[in-house]
Amino acid sequence: MMRFRAGSPSAAVPSDESFRSLIQALSEPQSGPHADNLITNEDSFPRVIGELGRVATPDGVYLGVGPDQNFSYIARCAPVRSFVLDYRRRNLRLHLLHKALFMLSETRVDYLTRLTARRPGHLPERPGAAELVEAYANAPFDEDLLERTRVEVFGLIRAYGVLDEAEWDDLARIQARLAGPGMLAKFLAMPIYPTFGEFIQQPDRDGSPAHMLAQDASYQRVRDAQRNDRVIPLVADLAGSGALPRLAAWLGLQGLKVSVVYVSDVEFFLLRAGTLDAYITNLDRLPKHENALIIRTSTREIDHPERVAGDSATTVIRSLPAFIEAARGGRVRTPEDLFTPDA
Protein backbone atom coordinates (compact mmCIF):
# COMPACT_ATOMS: atom_id res chain seq x y z
CA MET A 1 0.00 0.00 0.00
CA MET A 2 1.19 3.52 -0.81
CA ARG A 3 0.24 6.91 0.51
CA PHE A 4 0.75 10.28 -1.14
CA ARG A 5 2.31 13.22 0.64
CA ALA A 6 0.98 16.45 -0.81
CA GLY A 7 3.48 19.14 -1.73
CA SER A 8 6.37 16.78 -2.54
CA PRO A 9 7.06 16.24 -6.27
CA SER A 10 6.40 12.66 -7.31
CA ALA A 11 6.31 11.73 -3.64
CA ALA A 12 4.42 8.47 -3.46
CA VAL A 13 5.75 7.26 -0.12
CA PRO A 14 5.52 3.64 1.02
CA SER A 15 3.62 2.89 4.19
CA ASP A 16 5.13 -0.61 4.11
CA GLU A 17 8.73 -0.35 5.30
CA SER A 18 9.86 -3.75 4.01
CA PHE A 19 13.08 -4.00 1.99
CA ARG A 20 11.24 -4.84 -1.22
CA SER A 21 8.61 -2.15 -0.81
CA LEU A 22 11.17 0.58 -0.20
CA ILE A 23 13.19 -0.40 -3.27
CA GLN A 24 10.14 -0.57 -5.50
CA ALA A 25 8.44 2.57 -4.20
CA LEU A 26 11.47 4.85 -3.94
CA SER A 27 13.41 3.83 -7.07
CA GLU A 28 12.94 5.41 -10.48
CA PRO A 29 13.50 3.97 -13.97
CA GLN A 30 17.10 3.49 -15.06
CA SER A 31 18.28 6.64 -16.84
CA GLY A 32 21.48 5.46 -18.52
CA PRO A 33 23.37 2.41 -19.80
CA HIS A 34 24.83 0.03 -17.27
CA ALA A 35 28.56 0.01 -16.65
CA ASP A 36 31.00 -2.56 -15.37
CA ASN A 37 32.15 -0.58 -12.34
CA LEU A 38 31.81 -3.54 -9.99
CA ILE A 39 34.62 -2.33 -7.76
CA THR A 40 35.73 1.20 -6.90
CA ASN A 41 38.65 2.96 -8.57
CA GLU A 42 39.07 5.52 -5.76
CA ASP A 43 42.39 4.74 -4.13
CA SER A 44 41.81 7.72 -1.82
CA PHE A 45 38.57 6.59 -0.19
CA PRO A 46 40.25 4.77 2.73
CA ARG A 47 42.18 7.92 3.64
CA VAL A 48 39.16 9.69 5.17
CA ILE A 49 37.78 6.71 7.12
CA GLY A 50 39.37 7.76 10.41
CA GLU A 51 38.20 11.36 10.03
CA LEU A 52 34.69 10.16 9.20
CA GLY A 53 34.57 8.16 12.41
CA ARG A 54 35.53 11.22 14.41
CA VAL A 55 33.18 13.79 12.87
CA ALA A 56 30.08 11.95 11.62
CA THR A 57 26.89 12.44 13.63
CA PRO A 58 25.91 9.03 15.08
CA ASP A 59 22.57 7.36 14.38
CA GLY A 60 21.88 9.29 11.20
CA VAL A 61 21.09 8.17 7.65
CA TYR A 62 23.82 7.45 5.13
CA LEU A 63 23.37 8.07 1.39
CA GLY A 64 26.02 6.81 -1.00
CA VAL A 65 26.70 5.97 -4.62
CA GLY A 66 28.55 3.25 -6.48
CA PRO A 67 29.91 -0.16 -5.43
CA ASP A 68 31.84 -1.61 -2.49
CA GLN A 69 33.50 1.48 -0.96
CA ASN A 70 30.15 2.27 0.67
CA PHE A 71 30.61 -0.60 3.10
CA SER A 72 33.75 0.91 4.63
CA TYR A 73 31.98 4.25 5.07
CA ILE A 74 28.93 2.57 6.59
CA ALA A 75 31.12 0.54 8.94
CA ARG A 76 32.73 3.69 10.30
CA CYS A 77 29.76 6.08 10.62
CA ALA A 78 27.31 3.36 11.82
CA PRO A 79 24.07 4.85 10.45
CA VAL A 80 20.60 3.67 11.42
CA ARG A 81 19.75 3.32 7.71
CA SER A 82 21.80 3.39 4.52
CA PHE A 83 20.68 3.96 0.94
CA VAL A 84 23.03 3.26 -1.97
CA LEU A 85 21.94 5.16 -5.05
CA ASP A 86 22.79 4.76 -8.74
CA TYR A 87 20.96 5.67 -11.93
CA ARG A 88 21.92 2.22 -13.30
CA ARG A 89 19.93 -0.76 -12.12
CA ARG A 90 22.98 -2.98 -12.40
CA ASN A 91 24.37 -1.36 -9.26
CA LEU A 92 21.24 -2.54 -7.43
CA ARG A 93 21.92 -6.11 -8.59
CA LEU A 94 25.54 -5.80 -7.44
CA HIS A 95 24.42 -4.68 -3.98
CA LEU A 96 21.88 -7.49 -3.75
CA LEU A 97 24.74 -9.92 -4.40
CA HIS A 98 26.78 -8.36 -1.60
CA LYS A 99 23.74 -8.39 0.69
CA ALA A 100 23.35 -12.13 0.18
CA LEU A 101 27.07 -12.74 0.76
CA PHE A 102 26.99 -10.78 4.01
CA MET A 103 23.88 -12.60 5.20
CA LEU A 104 25.34 -16.01 4.39
CA SER A 105 28.79 -15.33 5.81
CA GLU A 106 29.37 -15.23 9.55
CA THR A 107 32.97 -14.01 9.27
CA ARG A 108 35.23 -12.07 6.94
CA VAL A 109 36.80 -15.35 5.87
CA ASP A 110 33.40 -16.82 5.00
CA TYR A 111 32.53 -13.69 3.02
CA LEU A 112 35.77 -13.68 1.03
CA THR A 113 35.55 -17.42 0.44
CA ARG A 114 32.15 -16.97 -1.20
CA LEU A 115 33.02 -13.71 -2.97
CA THR A 116 36.25 -14.99 -4.55
CA ALA A 117 35.30 -18.70 -4.88
CA ARG A 118 38.56 -19.59 -3.18
CA ARG A 119 39.41 -21.47 0.01
CA PRO A 120 42.31 -19.93 1.92
CA GLY A 121 45.01 -21.82 3.72
CA HIS A 122 45.54 -21.53 7.46
CA LEU A 123 44.60 -18.17 8.94
CA PRO A 124 44.73 -16.89 12.53
CA GLU A 125 41.43 -16.38 14.33
CA ARG A 126 41.46 -12.62 13.65
CA PRO A 127 43.63 -12.14 10.58
CA GLY A 128 44.99 -8.74 9.65
CA ALA A 129 44.41 -7.21 6.24
CA ALA A 130 47.72 -8.38 4.78
CA GLU A 131 47.20 -11.93 6.07
CA LEU A 132 43.74 -12.09 4.50
CA VAL A 133 44.91 -10.80 1.15
CA GLU A 134 47.91 -13.13 0.99
CA ALA A 135 45.81 -16.18 1.89
CA TYR A 136 43.29 -15.54 -0.89
CA ALA A 137 45.86 -14.38 -3.42
CA ASN A 138 47.57 -17.77 -3.11
CA ALA A 139 44.37 -19.86 -3.18
CA PRO A 140 43.20 -21.46 -6.44
CA PHE A 141 39.87 -20.50 -8.01
CA ASP A 142 37.20 -23.16 -7.40
CA GLU A 143 34.50 -23.35 -10.10
CA ASP A 144 32.37 -25.74 -8.01
CA LEU A 145 32.46 -23.36 -5.07
CA LEU A 146 31.34 -20.52 -7.34
CA GLU A 147 28.36 -22.59 -8.49
CA ARG A 148 27.40 -23.63 -4.95
CA THR A 149 27.59 -20.01 -3.84
CA ARG A 150 25.48 -18.95 -6.81
CA VAL A 151 22.74 -21.36 -5.73
CA GLU A 152 22.89 -20.01 -2.16
CA VAL A 153 22.83 -16.39 -3.29
CA PHE A 154 20.04 -16.84 -5.82
CA GLY A 155 17.86 -18.66 -3.32
CA LEU A 156 18.25 -15.92 -0.74
CA ILE A 157 17.75 -13.00 -3.15
CA ARG A 158 14.79 -14.61 -4.91
CA ALA A 159 12.88 -14.63 -1.63
CA TYR A 160 12.93 -10.81 -1.62
CA GLY A 161 11.08 -10.61 -4.93
CA VAL A 162 13.04 -7.57 -6.14
CA LEU A 163 14.53 -8.83 -9.42
CA ASP A 164 12.76 -9.63 -12.66
CA GLU A 165 13.42 -12.96 -14.36
CA ALA A 166 15.49 -11.22 -17.04
CA GLU A 167 17.98 -10.00 -14.41
CA TRP A 168 19.24 -13.31 -13.05
CA ASP A 169 21.70 -14.00 -15.86
CA ASP A 170 23.36 -10.64 -15.29
CA LEU A 171 23.54 -11.29 -11.56
CA ALA A 172 25.43 -14.50 -12.34
CA ARG A 173 27.79 -12.57 -14.62
CA ILE A 174 28.46 -10.00 -11.90
CA GLN A 175 29.27 -12.74 -9.41
CA ALA A 176 31.64 -14.46 -11.86
CA ARG A 177 33.33 -11.19 -12.81
CA LEU A 178 34.17 -10.53 -9.15
CA ALA A 179 35.12 -14.09 -8.24
CA GLY A 180 37.33 -14.83 -11.24
CA PRO A 181 40.16 -12.36 -10.51
CA GLY A 182 39.63 -12.52 -6.75
CA MET A 183 42.14 -10.26 -4.99
CA LEU A 184 43.29 -8.99 -8.38
CA ALA A 185 39.88 -7.57 -9.32
CA LYS A 186 40.09 -3.97 -10.57
CA PHE A 187 37.79 -1.21 -11.75
CA LEU A 188 37.00 -2.02 -15.40
CA ALA A 189 39.97 -4.46 -15.22
CA MET A 190 42.25 -1.49 -16.03
CA PRO A 191 45.87 -1.80 -14.85
CA ILE A 192 46.11 1.84 -13.68
CA TYR A 193 43.74 1.20 -10.78
CA PRO A 194 44.36 -0.58 -7.44
CA THR A 195 43.36 -4.19 -6.96
CA PHE A 196 40.73 -5.34 -4.50
CA GLY A 197 43.52 -6.76 -2.36
CA GLU A 198 45.35 -3.43 -2.32
CA PHE A 199 42.20 -1.62 -1.21
CA ILE A 200 41.78 -3.97 1.74
CA GLN A 201 45.28 -3.09 2.94
CA GLN A 202 45.06 0.67 2.33
CA PRO A 203 45.25 2.64 5.64
CA ASP A 204 43.59 5.92 6.54
CA ARG A 205 45.59 9.14 6.88
CA ASP A 206 46.63 8.14 10.40
CA GLY A 207 47.98 4.79 9.26
CA SER A 208 45.14 2.81 10.86
CA PRO A 209 43.16 0.00 9.16
CA ALA A 210 40.41 1.54 7.06
CA HIS A 211 38.73 -1.04 4.83
CA MET A 212 35.63 -2.83 6.06
CA LEU A 213 37.43 -6.17 5.64
CA ALA A 214 40.53 -5.11 7.55
CA GLN A 215 38.91 -5.55 10.98
CA ASP A 216 36.30 -7.97 12.24
CA ALA A 217 34.31 -5.31 14.13
CA SER A 218 33.82 -3.32 10.91
CA TYR A 219 32.69 -6.39 9.01
CA GLN A 220 30.22 -7.38 11.72
CA ARG A 221 28.76 -3.87 11.79
CA VAL A 222 27.99 -4.01 8.06
CA ARG A 223 26.79 -7.60 8.26
CA ASP A 224 24.36 -6.69 11.02
CA ALA A 225 22.98 -3.84 8.91
CA GLN A 226 22.60 -6.12 5.89
CA ARG A 227 20.90 -8.88 7.87
CA ASN A 228 18.41 -6.37 9.24
CA ASP A 229 17.64 -4.86 5.80
CA ARG A 230 19.18 -1.51 6.74
CA VAL A 231 21.30 -1.17 3.58
CA ILE A 232 18.91 -0.46 0.72
CA PRO A 233 19.99 -0.10 -2.92
CA LEU A 234 17.89 2.24 -5.06
CA VAL A 235 17.83 3.18 -8.72
CA ALA A 236 18.10 6.95 -8.45
CA ASP A 237 19.37 9.96 -10.37
CA LEU A 238 20.75 12.47 -7.84
CA ALA A 239 19.36 15.30 -9.98
CA GLY A 240 16.11 13.51 -10.81
CA SER A 241 12.57 14.40 -9.87
CA GLY A 242 11.53 10.97 -8.62
CA ALA A 243 13.66 8.95 -6.23
CA LEU A 244 15.32 11.70 -4.18
CA PRO A 245 12.09 13.66 -3.53
CA ARG A 246 10.35 10.43 -2.54
CA LEU A 247 13.23 9.45 -0.26
CA ALA A 248 13.21 12.89 1.36
CA ALA A 249 9.48 12.60 2.02
CA TRP A 250 9.86 9.09 3.46
CA LEU A 251 12.71 10.13 5.76
CA GLY A 252 10.59 13.03 6.99
CA LEU A 253 7.69 10.72 7.80
CA GLN A 254 10.04 8.43 9.72
CA GLY A 255 11.65 11.28 11.64
CA LEU A 256 15.07 10.34 10.22
CA LYS A 257 17.84 12.77 9.32
CA VAL A 258 20.73 12.40 6.90
CA SER A 259 24.18 12.57 8.49
CA VAL A 260 26.47 11.55 5.61
CA VAL A 261 26.15 11.87 1.82
CA TYR A 262 28.86 10.27 -0.30
CA VAL A 263 28.76 11.36 -3.96
CA SER A 264 32.09 10.17 -5.40
CA ASP A 265 32.70 12.35 -8.51
CA VAL A 266 29.06 12.47 -9.62
CA GLU A 267 28.96 16.26 -9.18
CA PHE A 268 31.51 16.65 -12.00
CA PHE A 269 29.02 15.05 -14.39
CA LEU A 270 26.10 17.06 -13.04
CA LEU A 271 28.01 20.30 -13.61
CA ARG A 272 28.78 19.33 -17.18
CA ALA A 273 25.18 18.28 -17.80
CA GLY A 274 23.81 21.53 -16.38
CA THR A 275 21.78 19.72 -13.71
CA LEU A 276 23.64 20.84 -10.59
CA ASP A 277 20.77 23.13 -9.52
CA ALA A 278 18.31 20.21 -9.57
CA TYR A 279 20.77 18.17 -7.51
CA ILE A 280 21.17 20.98 -4.97
CA THR A 281 17.38 21.23 -4.71
CA ASN A 282 17.24 17.51 -3.96
CA LEU A 283 19.94 17.78 -1.30
CA ASP A 284 18.22 20.79 0.23
CA ARG A 285 14.89 19.00 0.67
CA LEU A 286 16.48 16.08 2.54
CA PRO A 287 15.92 16.20 6.33
CA LYS A 288 19.45 16.39 7.69
CA HIS A 289 21.50 16.97 10.79
CA GLU A 290 23.00 20.44 11.15
CA ASN A 291 26.44 18.82 11.14
CA ALA A 292 25.71 16.62 8.11
CA LEU A 293 28.70 15.79 5.92
CA ILE A 294 29.31 15.35 2.22
CA ILE A 295 32.14 13.14 0.93
CA ARG A 296 33.36 13.69 -2.62
CA THR A 297 36.23 12.44 -4.74
CA SER A 298 38.27 13.83 -7.60
CA THR A 299 39.74 11.02 -9.67
CA ARG A 300 42.82 12.42 -11.42
CA GLU A 301 41.17 15.65 -12.60
CA ILE A 302 42.21 17.94 -9.74
CA ASP A 303 45.66 17.85 -8.15
CA HIS A 304 44.41 18.81 -4.70
CA PRO A 305 46.67 19.59 -1.72
CA GLU A 306 44.80 17.01 0.37
CA ARG A 307 45.83 14.20 -1.99
CA VAL A 308 48.07 11.62 -0.35
CA ALA A 309 51.35 11.08 -2.19
CA GLY A 310 51.06 8.12 -4.51
CA ASP A 311 47.26 8.23 -4.78
CA SER A 312 45.59 8.98 -8.11
CA ALA A 313 42.46 10.42 -6.45
CA THR A 314 41.57 12.85 -3.67
CA THR A 315 38.68 12.30 -1.27
CA VAL A 316 37.54 15.09 1.03
CA ILE A 317 34.90 15.53 3.73
CA ARG A 318 32.98 18.80 3.84
CA SER A 319 29.93 20.29 5.56
CA LEU A 320 26.75 19.45 3.63
CA PRO A 321 24.81 22.57 4.75
CA ALA A 322 27.79 24.80 3.87
CA PHE A 323 28.00 23.23 0.41
CA ILE A 324 24.30 23.81 -0.23
CA GLU A 325 24.66 27.42 0.90
CA ALA A 326 27.72 27.94 -1.35
CA ALA A 327 25.92 26.43 -4.34
CA ARG A 328 22.80 28.51 -3.71
CA GLY A 329 25.02 31.57 -3.54
CA GLY A 330 26.52 30.88 -6.97
CA ARG A 331 29.95 29.93 -5.62
CA VAL A 332 30.01 26.46 -7.22
CA ARG A 333 30.46 26.81 -10.96
CA THR A 334 33.40 24.54 -11.78
CA PRO A 335 34.77 21.19 -10.55
CA GLU A 336 37.55 23.09 -8.78
CA ASP A 337 34.92 24.99 -6.77
CA LEU A 338 33.78 21.68 -5.26
CA PHE A 339 37.11 21.31 -3.49
CA THR A 340 37.36 24.72 -1.84
CA PRO A 341 37.10 24.73 1.98
CA ASP A 342 33.49 26.01 2.02
CA ALA A 343 32.09 23.74 -0.71
Side-chain angles (χ1 to χ4, degrees), residues 225-261:
Q226 295 279 14
R227 292 177 70 200
N228 288 284
D229 297 340
R230 298 199 307 268
V231 181
I232 302 165
L234 301 178
V235 184
D237 177 354
L238 295 186
S241 61
L244 264 293
R246 287 196 290 269
L247 177 58
W250 184 82
L251 292 174
L253 287 173
Q254 302 300 314
L256 297 174
K257 293 183 178 182
V258 171
S259 58
V260 176
V261 177

Side-chain angles (χ1 to χ4, degrees), residues 1-24:
M1 179 181 294
M2 308 280 288
R3 60 172 175 255
F4 184 79
R5 176 175 174 144
S8 297
S10 306
V13 184
S15 56
D16 181 353
E17 295 182 40
S18 72
F19 184 78
R20 175 187 178 183
S21 293
L22 287 175
I23 290 174
Q24 293 181 336

Side-chain angles (χ1 to χ4, degrees), residues 269-335:
F269 299 96
L270 299 178
L271 275 166
R272 291 165 188 154
T275 57
L276 188 75
D277 285 348
Y279 160 68
I280 297 300
T281 297
N282 280 340
L283 290 181
D284 205 10
R285 62 164 45 104
L286 290 168
K288 48 194 166 291
H289 288 284
E290 61 179 0
N291 296 320
L293 307 170
I294 186 164
I295 307 171
R296 58 171 60 95
T297 298
S298 168
T299 53
R300 299 181 178 274
E301 297 194 38
I302 297 175
D303 187 15
H304 194 273
E306 292 181 52
R307 179 170 296 181
V308 173
D311 288 354
S312 65
T314 309
T315 299
V316 299
I317 297 178
R318 297 288 188 262
S319 162
L320 178 57
F323 167 60
I324 294 172
E325 181 181 354
R328 290 293 193 203
R331 300 193 300 277
V332 180
R333 301 179 184 275
T334 69

Side-chain angles (χ1 to χ4, degrees), residues 45 48-54 56-60 62-63 67-82 84 102 108 209-226 230-231 260 262 295:
F45 91 80
V48 301
I49 294 294
E51 179 185 357
L52 181 64
R54 292 190 294 271
T57 300
D59 300 327
Y62 170 91
L63 307 184
D68 54 304
Q69 66 269 47
N70 287 281
F71 303 137
S72 294
Y73 289 140
I74 290 168
R76 193 54 59 99
C77 65
V80 293
R81 289 265 191 167
S82 299
V84 182
F102 276 110
R108 291 177 292 156
H211 197 276
M212 176 269 302
L213 289 169
Q215 294 179 305
D216 188 62
S218 295
Y219 175 79
Q220 294 300 335
R221 194 171 294 124
V222 180
R223 181 174 187 252
D224 181 69
Q226 295 279 14
R230 298 199 307 268
V231 181
V260 176
Y262 160 65
I295 307 171

Side-chain angles (χ1 to χ4, degrees), residues 28-35 86-90 235-237:
E28 58 196 352
Q30 178 170 287
S31 58
H34 80 244
D86 200 294
Y87 67 88
R88 299 158 295 204
R89 188 168 170 88
R90 194 178 212 201
V235 184
D237 177 354

